[in-house]
Amino acid sequence: MYRTPERDRADDRRTDRGARTSDRRNRTEGHVIDCDGTRAVISAIMPADSSVSDDYWNVGSLITIASGPARTVGMLYRIEVPDAAWRKAAPNTVHIHVELVGEIREDGGGAARFAGGLSHYPHLGAVAHRIRNADLQAIFANTDPTAVPLGRLSQSRDIEAMVSIDAMISRHFAVVGTTGVGKSTTVSLLIRKIVAARPDIGILLLDPHNEFASAFPDIAVTIDDSTLDLPFWLFRLEEFVEVLFRGRPADPEEVDILRDLIPEARLRFKGDMAGGPMRKPGRNNQVTADTPVPYRVADLLALIKERMGSLDAREQRTTLKSLASRIEAAVNDPRYRFMFAHKTITDNLAEVLAHIYRVPAKGRPVTIFQLNGIPSEVVNAVVSVLCRVAFELSVWSRSKVKTLVLCEEAHRYIPADREAGFGPTRASIARIAKEGRKYGVSLGIITQRPSELDATILSQCNTIFAMRLGNDSDQDIIRRAITGASRSYINFLPSLANREAIAFGQGVNTPMRMIVETVDTAGVPGQAGDDPHQERTDAAGPVDMHGLLQAVREPVLAAADALGEPLESWSTLGVVGEQWPSLADAPKLQESVDGPVDGAPPPGGREGLFTYDGPLRRNAEVGGRSGRTQQPNDAPHGARDLISRFRRADRD
């Protein structure tokens, strides 16, 4: 149905009837004087009196242009006076530059419907005026069943900014913005919305600053370096080498030795658990250095010593000694306890992965993985393991295990420089970005420097929330990411307010400038429970410098003291493989996650989430082989089948 400008003005008079004069939406007209395929210039006269509302021709607002059977929608991005002079006592001619973003038509029932693209272009002299509120609602309406309000439009605070959760997470998304603009608060709000709309999805949040735990006390499980048991045998060869060499270039000869001996160590452990003889790795065994089968560090060291004693390895003895020393140093390093805790030397992979990836969620579908306490030189290897396993679980469960991986400070793991970072980490995240939607694993990128991020991976994020960015190179990256005739939105990036964002992509119907919802103080990352006055009082008190230095020099003993445990129980750390498990208070953690535990706790106080069957290092003085591992009676049969399939993937 064609609507004449006279009919529009009549509708506006009816809409504005009864409103206060100061709040009335003035519809003074302009006329098109220039138009090309994407932009138009409108000439309008600003009267000398104050009859025109202050917010009429505002940069960043939407206007409509009468164009045949439709109304063309344009986004105002520039306004100027052609003669560069402003007259107070006389009318002024202004030129309004708009970007054409789509058109509005009316269906048979008279309801407005918005569509991107143009079927009719405005003619010269076409009437332009401020957009009606009904048209504005039609533009940003979202009929997706999973659409949720994330905030309100900057142009009209009475219209909700709707975001489709399914479209956002299935095709990945990114949140970018400089420090201090509300990026972390926006992420916490998104997580709440995703959990409410899609409770079947587990969320793994990689938190390098340990700031999100306080925002989700009710729906999240927090894992840090003191509560993490990530088995070293779950690491692939490249990832394990990254740990041993601590981020430095690896010695190719040592890597080749590990590639040969790790499969033998895996088979030796497998033979012990089965009560049978050890078999040499071969074609029929199908065990490689990457197969996630447990093995003992002591077995690996024993195999290295055996090779040193071989007559054929005379030229390799220096390399073998260096490799053995490197392994022992890593095992005995207290910072690596999350990998080499002796409780992990059992086939408890199902329990470990179920806890990290929340299968089942038990009311807590979010895992906050705090990376701040993990040595910086091995963080990339840990992230590689977590992202790789998230993808493989989704693949081998046939999309039954759905995971959203959120990478805070993502430019650390997937930098734009291909020579920087850790190759397997980049490959793991890139695989999720490129293939994840086929299997139910999604990616969320959070960064303050999009220009330092791998452009290929960022391009896979089809929904972007761009907050204030002052750096020109960062703005250029977002400008290339936004599609169609909405690139002028990027001009607003340097001047966006806190909690304001430009959202575009698959998750929204059309690009929009929005104000993100206000989050309660308790849900703001890093804020819950903080008492500024108490912090100032504590800071003013005396500091025990000797105790502080003792904690720096002997962090393990300091941790034991903080847990209230006798220090002598931690004195065996000098022996390879005899470290205490990192889950120092597993029963309490388990109770906090899964609810009260029936029955009395097991003796020793250290049993809980992970089971233990034998030390990290085999006792050389005791002959014989240990018996078969006893699995928990309540271990889910489906999880075991999934892990078996997960392991076979490496062989195939």
Side-chain angles (χ1 to χ4, degrees):
M1 182 191 306
Y2 174 68
R3 296 181 62 89
T4 64
E6 292 76 11
R7 182 176 176 182
D8 280 342
R9 287 193 290 272
D11 288 346
D12 290 332
R13 284 193 294 271
R14 286 193 296 270
T15 302
D16 291 336
R17 190 176 297 132
R20 297 195 309 270
T21 303
S22 60
D23 293 337
R24 193 165 297 166
R25 302 179 66 191
N26 196 294
R27 297 291 298 282
T28 302
E29 297 174 351
H31 297 82
V32 175
I33 61 172
D34 185 20
C35 181
D36 60 17
T38 59
R39 299 185 177 186
V41 179
I42 299 166
S43 178
I45 297 177
M46 302 289 287
D49 56 27
S50 59
S51 61
V52 178
S53 58
D54 294 336
D55 62 347
Y56 181 54
W57 301 118
N58 259 3
V59 172
S61 61
L62 296 179
I63 66 171
T64 52
I65 305 171
S67 178
R71 297 187 293 281
T72 302
V73 178
M75 194 274 292
L76 198 160
Y77 68 91
R78 181 183 175 190
I79 183 170
E80 62 180 358
V81 179
D83 56 3
W86 185 262
R87 296 175 294 274
K88 292 185 178 180
N92 289 275
T93 299
V94 295
H95 285 178
I96 300 151
H97 298 254
V98 299
E99 198 169 50
L100 307 179
V101 297
E103 62 184 16
I104 294 176
R105 293 175 174 269
E106 294 183 355
D107 58 17
R113 294 286 184 268
F114 173 77
L118 299 176
S119 59
H120 293 81
Y121 284 91
H123 57 82
L124 292 182
V127 177
H129 45 68
R130 176 172 173 169
I131 194 168
R132 296 185 303 144
N133 197 60
D135 287 349
L136 201 60
Q137 290 178 341
I139 292 173
F140 296 103
N142 196 325
T143 58
D144 192 309
T146 63
V148 298
L150 197 63
R152 297 192 173 267
L153 298 185
S154 297
Q155 180 174 353
S156 179
R157 301 297 176 88
D158 59 342
I159 298 179
E160 293 180 329
M162 305 295 291
V163 177
S164 174
I165 296 297
D166 272 354
M168 182 184 72
I169 62 178
S170 66
R171 296 178 180 269
H172 318 306
F173 67 94
V175 180
V176 301
T178 190
T179 302
V181 299
K183 186 168 69 273
S184 297
T185 303
T186 301
V187 171
S188 66
L189 179 63
L190 279 171
I191 291 175
R192 290 279 183 183
K193 298 290 186 179
I194 292 171
V195 169
R198 294 292 305 273
D200 59 318
I201 294 180
I203 299 176
L204 176 63
L205 173 58
L206 304 177
D207 183 8
H209 301 304
N210 297 2
E211 62 178 345
F212 283 95
S214 61
F216 308 105
D218 54 333
I219 61 172
V221 171
T222 301
I223 299 177
D224 58 19
D225 60 311
S226 65
T227 58
L228 170 64
D229 271 284
L230 192 64
F232 67 89
W233 46 264
L234 183 58
F235 286 56
R236 284 189 170 178
L237 179 60
E238 288 180 299
E239 297 158 348
F240 189 59
V241 167
E242 179 78 1
V243 173
L244 294 182
F245 285 85
R246 308 184 185 226
R248 297 187 298 272
D251 184 344
E253 292 186 15
E254 295 185 30
V255 175
D256 289 339
I257 293 171
L258 287 173
R259 184 177 289 107
D260 292 339
L261 297 186
I262 287 179
E264 294 188 35
R266 294 188 192 276
L267 287 173
R268 179 170 292 187
F269 180 87
K270 196 174 182 181
D272 286 350
M273 294 300 101
M278 183 189 74
R279 295 175 295 175
K280 289 288 184 182
R283 197 173 183 84
N284 296 329
N285 292 322
Q286 296 182 338
V287 174
T288 69
D290 295 335
T291 306
V293 173
Y295 67 93
R296 299 182 183 90
V297 170
D299 286 341
L300 181 59
L301 291 173
L303 289 169
I304 292 175
K305 291 179 180 179
E306 289 176 11
R307 180 165 290 194
M308 278 193 289
S310 173
L311 294 176
D312 298 333
R314 291 179 180 178
E315 297 179 356
Q316 288 187 323
R317 284 180 183 173
T318 302
T319 302
L320 290 165
K321 287 181 180 180
S322 175
L323 177 59
S325 299
R326 204 181 303 277
I327 295 173
E328 290 181 347
V331 172
N332 288 318
D333 192 330
R335 300 176 304 161
Y336 294 170
R337 293 175 57 249
F338 67 92
M339 290 178 55
F340 297 104
H342 65 225
K343 282 194 176 183
T344 59
I345 310 304
T346 61
D347 195 359
N348 61 341
L349 189 57
E351 291 82 359
V352 172
L353 299 185
H355 180 62
I356 294 176
Y357 297 98
R358 310 308 304 146
V359 183
K362 298 183 179 179
R364 294 176 180 263
V366 181
T367 300
I368 300 174
F369 207 101
Q370 297 185 339
L371 300 171
N372 194 28
I374 296 176
S376 58
E377 60 267 24
V378 299
V379 164
N380 282 333
V382 172
V383 172
S384 175
V385 173
L386 295 174
C387 294
R388 172 176 57 81
V389 173
F391 182 85
E392 291 175 348
L393 284 179
S394 295
V395 170
W396 295 106
S397 66
R398 295 184 175 90
S399 302
K400 292 180 181 178
V401 178
K402 303 180 186 298
T403 305
L404 167 62
V405 179
L406 290 177
C407 294
E408 173 70 282
E409 300 288 354
H411 56 272
R412 294 184 177 188
Y413 320 120
I414 43 177
D417 184 1
R418 290 278 176 172
E419 301 299 323
F422 181 46
T425 306
R426 183 191 301 274
S428 298
I429 297 177
R431 193 178 185 191
I432 295 176
K434 295 176 181 178
E435 306 176 40
R437 67 181 297 262
K438 303 175 185 176
Y439 306 105
V441 56
S442 306
L443 179 66
I445 297 295
I446 308 157
T447 181
Q448 58 183 328
R449 295 304 305 270
S451 61
E452 297 180 3
L453 194 68
D454 188 308
T456 303
I457 295 178
L458 182 62
S459 67
Q460 300 292 328
C461 298
N462 285 279
T463 302
I464 295 180
F465 300 91
M467 310 186 81
R468 186 165 68 241
L469 288 169
N471 188 281
D472 290 340
S473 58
D474 293 334
Q475 296 173 29
D476 289 339
I477 292 295
I478 303 302
R479 184 175 288 106
R480 290 196 292 268
I482 196 169
T483 58
S486 302
R487 292 181 178 175
S488 292
Y489 272 104
I490 305 304
N491 297 333
F492 307 123
L493 283 179
S495 57
L496 292 176
N498 288 351
R499 293 179 35 247
E500 191 174 18
I502 296 172
F504 58 92
Q506 297 288 336
V508 296
N509 279 1
T510 188
M512 59 184 176
R513 185 175 173 180
M514 57 178 288
I515 296 289
V516 178
E517 285 182 17
T518 302
V519 178
D520 293 338
T521 303
V524 175
Q527 297 295 322
D530 290 346
D531 186 347
H533 177 72
Q534 184 66 35
E535 184 177 346
R536 289 193 296 271
T537 302
D538 292 343
V543 176
D544 181 5
M545 187 58 68
H546 291 287
L548 177 60
L549 290 177
Q550 180 71 11
V552 173
R553 290 168 176 166
E554 300 183 74
V556 176
L557 300 183
D561 183 59
L563 292 170
E565 299 186 359
L567 297 183
E568 55 269 16
S569 66
W570 297 67
S571 61
T572 57
L573 290 177
V575 182
V576 176
E578 296 303 324
Q579 297 164 305
W580 281 107
S582 58
L583 275 179
D585 202 3
K588 293 181 180 179
L589 173 67
Q590 187 73 16
E591 183 174 350
S592 66
V593 175
D594 301 332
V597 180
D598 296 333
R606 288 184 177 273
E607 302 299 324
L609 178 64
F610 302 110
T611 58
Y612 169 62
D613 186 18
L616 176 66
R617 179 167 113 169
R618 297 187 354 175
N619 191 342
E621 297 179 359
V622 180
R625 301 183 182 272
S626 58
R628 184 184 299 271
T629 303
Q630 298 297 323
Q631 302 297 343
N633 293 331
D634 57 349
H637 180 70
R640 293 296 176 189
D641 292 343
L642 176 60
I643 295 302
S644 298
R645 192 179 301 162
F646 167 68
R647 283 174 174 155
R648 286 198 299 271
D650 290 289
R651 309 175 199 163
D652 299 338

